[in-house]
Amino acid sequence: QIQLVESGGGLVQAGGSLRLTCAASGSFARINAMGWYRQFPGKQRELVASITSGGTTTYVDSVKGRFTISRDNAKNTVYLQMNSLKPEDTGAYFCNADVLARAYYSGTVNYWGQGTQVTVSS
């Protein structure tokens, strides 16, 4: 199994920056794609950014040009650099990982971090 621990959330003024970090630990063979999701009150959790093991990235339109997702495979860690933050970015951010538990095992399991709050003041 795997544990995802997020850090880096907090309170920042509009136009400021934050960097979220998600570190994976536990017993597993491989982490495939990793991503960051966020959830606003009364809304479903949405994908903010994702990155494959090969480095291919995807972003929701509202953060393109402002957010950058990256990963360090040696550290089993994914980052979300958030620049030019806006009040509408405020929400709970969650790390997600698609995990292969054992080598040559069929199928993967999705894991979620505990979430970290990002609040952007105007």
Side-chain angles (χ1 to χ4, degrees), residues 9-28:
L11 175 64
V12 66
Q13 292 185 344
S17 298
L18 288 172
R19 189 179 76 160
L20 305 184
T21 298
C22 174
S25 62
S27 179
F28 56 89

PDB file of all heavy atoms in Angstrom, residues 9-28:
ATOM      1  N   GLY A   9       0.263  23.999   1.293  1.00  0.00           N
ATOM      2  CA  GLY A   9      -0.904  24.851   1.239  1.00  0.00           C
ATOM      3  C   GLY A   9      -0.824  25.963   2.266  1.00  0.00           C
ATOM      4  O   GLY A   9      -0.001  25.938   3.175  1.00  0.00           O
ATOM      5  N   GLY A  10      -1.689  26.938   2.106  1.00  0.00           N
ATOM      6  CA  GLY A  10      -1.703  28.045   3.039  1.00  0.00           C
ATOM      7  C   GLY A  10      -2.497  29.211   2.524  1.00  0.00           C
ATOM      8  O   GLY A  10      -3.278  29.091   1.584  1.00  0.00           O
ATOM      9  N   LEU A  11      -2.283  30.345   3.157  1.00  0.00           N
ATOM     10  CA  LEU A  11      -2.968  31.583   2.812  1.00  0.00           C
ATOM     11  C   LEU A  11      -2.006  32.497   2.067  1.00  0.00           C
ATOM     12  O   LEU A  11      -0.880  32.726   2.519  1.00  0.00           O
ATOM     13  CB  LEU A  11      -3.475  32.271   4.079  1.00  0.00           C
ATOM     14  CG  LEU A  11      -4.115  33.650   3.918  1.00  0.00           C
ATOM     15  CD1 LEU A  11      -5.380  33.553   3.084  1.00  0.00           C
ATOM     16  CD2 LEU A  11      -4.406  34.247   5.287  1.00  0.00           C
ATOM     17  N   VAL A  12      -2.452  33.007   0.943  1.00  0.00           N
ATOM     18  CA  VAL A  12      -1.622  33.885   0.136  1.00  0.00           C
ATOM     19  C   VAL A  12      -2.497  34.962  -0.500  1.00  0.00           C
ATOM     20  O   VAL A  12      -3.688  34.746  -0.744  1.00  0.00           O
ATOM     21  CB  VAL A  12      -0.862  33.079  -0.946  1.00  0.00           C
ATOM     22  CG1 VAL A  12      -1.831  32.479  -1.959  1.00  0.00           C
ATOM     23  CG2 VAL A  12       0.187  33.923  -1.637  1.00  0.00           C
ATOM     24  N   GLN A  13      -1.919  36.112  -0.752  1.00  0.00           N
ATOM     25  CA  GLN A  13      -2.643  37.186  -1.416  1.00  0.00           C
ATOM     26  C   GLN A  13      -2.717  36.944  -2.917  1.00  0.00           C
ATOM     27  O   GLN A  13      -1.885  36.246  -3.492  1.00  0.00           O
ATOM     28  CB  GLN A  13      -1.975  38.532  -1.149  1.00  0.00           C
ATOM     29  CG  GLN A  13      -2.061  38.998   0.292  1.00  0.00           C
ATOM     30  CD  GLN A  13      -1.483  40.386   0.481  1.00  0.00           C
ATOM     31  OE1 GLN A  13      -0.759  40.895  -0.360  1.00  0.00           O
ATOM     32  NE2 GLN A  13      -1.813  41.004   1.599  1.00  0.00           N
ATOM     33  N   ALA A  14      -3.721  37.510  -3.543  1.00  0.00           N
ATOM     34  CA  ALA A  14      -3.857  37.404  -4.985  1.00  0.00           C
ATOM     35  C   ALA A  14      -2.582  37.880  -5.673  1.00  0.00           C
ATOM     36  O   ALA A  14      -2.000  38.895  -5.298  1.00  0.00           O
ATOM     37  CB  ALA A  14      -5.050  38.210  -5.469  1.00  0.00           C
ATOM     38  N   GLY A  15      -2.165  37.117  -6.674  1.00  0.00           N
ATOM     39  CA  GLY A  15      -0.928  37.409  -7.366  1.00  0.00           C
ATOM     40  C   GLY A  15       0.279  36.704  -6.794  1.00  0.00           C
ATOM     41  O   GLY A  15       1.341  36.701  -7.428  1.00  0.00           O
ATOM     42  N   GLY A  16       0.123  36.103  -5.639  1.00  0.00           N
ATOM     43  CA  GLY A  16       1.212  35.401  -4.998  1.00  0.00           C
ATOM     44  C   GLY A  16       1.373  33.987  -5.511  1.00  0.00           C
ATOM     45  O   GLY A  16       0.690  33.552  -6.439  1.00  0.00           O
ATOM     46  N   SER A  17       2.289  33.260  -4.870  1.00  0.00           N
ATOM     47  CA  SER A  17       2.633  31.916  -5.311  1.00  0.00           C
ATOM     48  C   SER A  17       2.672  30.946  -4.146  1.00  0.00           C
ATOM     49  O   SER A  17       2.947  31.318  -3.003  1.00  0.00           O
ATOM     50  CB  SER A  17       4.000  31.905  -5.998  1.00  0.00           C
ATOM     51  OG  SER A  17       4.015  32.711  -7.156  1.00  0.00           O
ATOM     52  N   LEU A  18       2.392  29.695  -4.443  1.00  0.00           N
ATOM     53  CA  LEU A  18       2.550  28.590  -3.519  1.00  0.00           C
ATOM     54  C   LEU A  18       3.073  27.391  -4.293  1.00  0.00           C
ATOM     55  O   LEU A  18       2.815  27.262  -5.492  1.00  0.00           O
ATOM     56  CB  LEU A  18       1.227  28.208  -2.852  1.00  0.00           C
ATOM     57  CG  LEU A  18       0.635  29.148  -1.809  1.00  0.00           C
ATOM     58  CD1 LEU A  18      -0.773  28.677  -1.431  1.00  0.00           C
ATOM     59  CD2 LEU A  18       1.521  29.204  -0.571  1.00  0.00           C
ATOM     60  N   ARG A  19       3.781  26.522  -3.607  1.00  0.00           N
ATOM     61  CA  ARG A  19       4.196  25.263  -4.201  1.00  0.00           C
ATOM     62  C   ARG A  19       3.706  24.116  -3.340  1.00  0.00           C
ATOM     63  O   ARG A  19       4.077  24.000  -2.171  1.00  0.00           O
ATOM     64  CB  ARG A  19       5.713  25.167  -4.365  1.00  0.00           C
ATOM     65  CG  ARG A  19       6.123  23.934  -5.184  1.00  0.00           C
ATOM     66  CD  ARG A  19       7.614  23.799  -5.385  1.00  0.00           C
ATOM     67  NE  ARG A  19       8.287  23.315  -4.192  1.00  0.00           N
ATOM     68  CZ  ARG A  19       9.496  22.748  -4.184  1.00  0.00           C
ATOM     69  NH1 ARG A  19      10.159  22.607  -5.334  1.00  0.00           N
ATOM     70  NH2 ARG A  19      10.045  22.366  -3.058  1.00  0.00           N
ATOM     71  N   LEU A  20       2.875  23.275  -3.917  1.00  0.00           N
ATOM     72  CA  LEU A  20       2.384  22.099  -3.235  1.00  0.00           C
ATOM     73  C   LEU A  20       3.309  20.918  -3.498  1.00  0.00           C
ATOM     74  O   LEU A  20       3.812  20.749  -4.608  1.00  0.00           O
ATOM     75  CB  LEU A  20       0.974  21.745  -3.697  1.00  0.00           C
ATOM     76  CG  LEU A  20      -0.094  22.835  -3.591  1.00  0.00           C
ATOM     77  CD1 LEU A  20      -1.453  22.277  -3.995  1.00  0.00           C
ATOM     78  CD2 LEU A  20      -0.137  23.411  -2.188  1.00  0.00           C
ATOM     79  N   THR A  21       3.510  20.106  -2.475  1.00  0.00           N
ATOM     80  CA  THR A  21       4.355  18.925  -2.577  1.00  0.00           C
ATOM     81  C   THR A  21       3.570  17.710  -2.121  1.00  0.00           C
ATOM     82  O   THR A  21       2.839  17.771  -1.129  1.00  0.00           O
ATOM     83  CB  THR A  21       5.612  19.077  -1.706  1.00  0.00           C
ATOM     84  OG1 THR A  21       6.383  20.189  -2.162  1.00  0.00           O
ATOM     85  CG2 THR A  21       6.473  17.822  -1.782  1.00  0.00           C
ATOM     86  N   CYS A  22       3.716  16.616  -2.839  1.00  0.00           N
ATOM     87  CA  CYS A  22       3.095  15.348  -2.467  1.00  0.00           C
ATOM     88  C   CYS A  22       4.160  14.271  -2.527  1.00  0.00           C
ATOM     89  O   CYS A  22       4.692  13.982  -3.606  1.00  0.00           O
ATOM     90  CB  CYS A  22       1.934  15.018  -3.397  1.00  0.00           C
ATOM     91  SG  CYS A  22       1.200  13.390  -3.123  1.00  0.00           S
ATOM     92  N   ALA A  23       4.450  13.672  -1.392  1.00  0.00           N
ATOM     93  CA  ALA A  23       5.463  12.631  -1.296  1.00  0.00           C
ATOM     94  C   ALA A  23       4.797  11.281  -1.040  1.00  0.00           C
ATOM     95  O   ALA A  23       3.977  11.154  -0.127  1.00  0.00           O
ATOM     96  CB  ALA A  23       6.453  12.945  -0.185  1.00  0.00           C
ATOM     97  N   ALA A  24       5.165  10.299  -1.829  1.00  0.00           N
ATOM     98  CA  ALA A  24       4.614   8.958  -1.704  1.00  0.00           C
ATOM     99  C   ALA A  24       5.574   8.053  -0.949  1.00  0.00           C
ATOM    100  O   ALA A  24       6.786   8.098  -1.163  1.00  0.00           O
ATOM    101  CB  ALA A  24       4.327   8.364  -3.077  1.00  0.00           C
ATOM    102  N   SER A  25       5.026   7.230  -0.074  1.00  0.00           N
ATOM    103  CA  SER A  25       5.829   6.271   0.668  1.00  0.00           C
ATOM    104  C   SER A  25       5.020   5.004   0.879  1.00  0.00           C
ATOM    105  O   SER A  25       3.799   5.006   0.742  1.00  0.00           O
ATOM    106  CB  SER A  25       6.291   6.843   2.009  1.00  0.00           C
ATOM    107  OG  SER A  25       5.184   7.145   2.842  1.00  0.00           O
ATOM    108  N   GLY A  26       5.708   3.918   1.209  1.00  0.00           N
ATOM    109  CA  GLY A  26       5.048   2.653   1.444  1.00  0.00           C
ATOM    110  C   GLY A  26       5.639   1.553   0.598  1.00  0.00           C
ATOM    111  O   GLY A  26       6.777   1.644   0.137  1.00  0.00           O
ATOM    112  N   SER A  27       4.857   0.511   0.400  1.00  0.00           N
ATOM    113  CA  SER A  27       5.288  -0.654  -0.362  1.00  0.00           C
ATOM    114  C   SER A  27       4.551  -0.678  -1.694  1.00  0.00           C
ATOM    115  O   SER A  27       3.332  -0.867  -1.736  1.00  0.00           O
ATOM    116  CB  SER A  27       5.023  -1.935   0.427  1.00  0.00           C
ATOM    117  OG  SER A  27       5.422  -3.077  -0.307  1.00  0.00           O
ATOM    118  N   PHE A  28       5.288  -0.491  -2.760  1.00  0.00           N
ATOM    119  CA  PHE A  28       4.708  -0.504  -4.092  1.00  0.00           C
ATOM    120  C   PHE A  28       5.810  -0.722  -5.110  1.00  0.00           C
ATOM    121  O   PHE A  28       6.987  -0.506  -4.824  1.00  0.00           O
ATOM    122  CB  PHE A  28       3.951   0.794  -4.390  1.00  0.00           C
ATOM    123  CG  PHE A  28       4.778   2.030  -4.227  1.00  0.00           C
ATOM    124  CD1 PHE A  28       5.516   2.534  -5.285  1.00  0.00           C
ATOM    125  CD2 PHE A  28       4.818   2.702  -3.014  1.00  0.00           C
ATOM    126  CE1 PHE A  28       6.285   3.681  -5.136  1.00  0.00           C
ATOM    127  CE2 PHE A  28       5.581   3.849  -2.853  1.00  0.00           C
ATOM    128  CZ  PHE A  28       6.315   4.334  -3.913  1.00  0.00           C
TER     129      PHE A  28
END
